[in-house]
Amino acid sequence: MESADRLKQLLHDQYIRFLHVHEAYMDIEIEQLLDIAERRAITRLPRNITAIHVIDCIGRNEPINSTAIAEVMDLSKASITKIGSKLLEEGFVERTQLNDNKKESYFRLTPQGKQLFDLHTQLHQVEAERFCGFLDKYTDGELGVIRNFLQDYSMELERKLTEGV
């Protein structure tokens, strides 16, 4: 039993290390995004990664309303309203109404928002290819275990979030 407890502790330690390294990597990813944007003469960027992901959500689903963005991103409608207003003010998105529904407003990307969406999509594609290449060293069985672990632990963390930790 002691070896199982020791292995669990080692896994926990490695998980904590992973979180720290991942956070540092995300900081670098944001810096890369800013650097590439500067080289492409994209002068204004949201400084919040969630705002960039809202732009991504709009770009993938436009036209889309605040309620749908909140559902897709699993965020509160109030958060999306606040971020959407900021993106509107900064010129990344515009509000439109569909012909058959004058009551509800929808978001679409402006040309500036489309530039940022395209850049973000390219960076995510490169990251996905890098990640999949990294996974090539594992067998199908090992990949199944990794998938199950990530799925189970994500569900556990989501449960804790909804319970208020």
Side-chain angles (χ1 to χ4, degrees):
M1 186 65 158
E2 187 175 324
S3 64
D5 289 341
R6 177 74 180 131
L7 182 57
K8 288 176 185 177
Q9 183 59 50
L10 290 171
L11 286 170
H12 179 262
D13 294 347
Q14 191 61 43
Y15 173 70
I16 297 300
R17 179 174 178 250
F18 167 80
L19 291 177
H20 292 295
V21 172
H22 185 263
E23 184 178 0
Y25 185 79
M26 292 305 296
D27 290 343
I28 290 169
E29 187 177 79
I30 291 169
E31 288 302 316
Q32 286 176 328
L33 176 71
L34 295 172
D35 184 52
I36 294 168
E38 185 177 314
R39 284 187 269 137
R40 292 188 181 181
I42 301 172
T43 55
R44 291 183 8 233
L45 290 168
R47 296 292 178 198
N48 179 317
I49 195 71
T50 304
I52 292 171
H53 286 142
V54 169
I55 289 171
D56 183 72
C57 181
I58 293 168
R60 291 180 191 284
N61 301 287
E62 65 183 352
I64 186 170
N65 64 24
S66 295
T67 302
I69 295 170
E71 288 174 8
V72 168
M73 295 188 66
D74 199 22
L75 294 171
S76 71
K77 189 170 180 213
S79 293
I80 296 303
T81 299
K82 182 178 177 183
I83 293 168
S85 295
K86 187 75 171 159
L87 293 173
L88 191 65
E89 179 184 313
E90 294 174 343
F92 294 108
V93 299
E94 61 187 10
R95 276 202 173 107
T96 61
Q97 293 179 325
L98 300 180
N99 293 336
D100 59 339
N101 186 352
K102 298 290 183 191
K103 187 176 177 182
E104 194 162 12
S105 62
Y106 292 80
F107 288 107
R108 290 187 184 274
L109 297 180
T110 63
Q112 182 181 0
K114 179 76 170 125
Q115 272 187 312
L116 187 55
F117 169 74
D118 290 342
L119 173 59
H120 183 256
T121 300
Q122 290 168 1
L123 290 175
H124 268 267
Q125 185 175 353
V126 168
E127 176 59 24
E129 289 169 6
R130 185 202 60 78
F131 187 76
C132 289
F134 169 78
L135 293 175
D136 284 344
K137 66 184 177 181
Y138 296 99
T139 66
D140 287 350
E142 290 169 328
L143 290 172
V145 170
I146 293 167
R147 179 184 164 276
N148 288 341
F149 167 78
L150 291 173
Q151 188 174 33
D152 289 349
Y153 201 58
S154 294
M155 287 172 45
E156 173 69 10
L157 292 176
E158 288 169 2
R159 183 183 62 77
K160 288 187 175 290
L161 284 172
T162 58
E163 292 175 358
V165 183

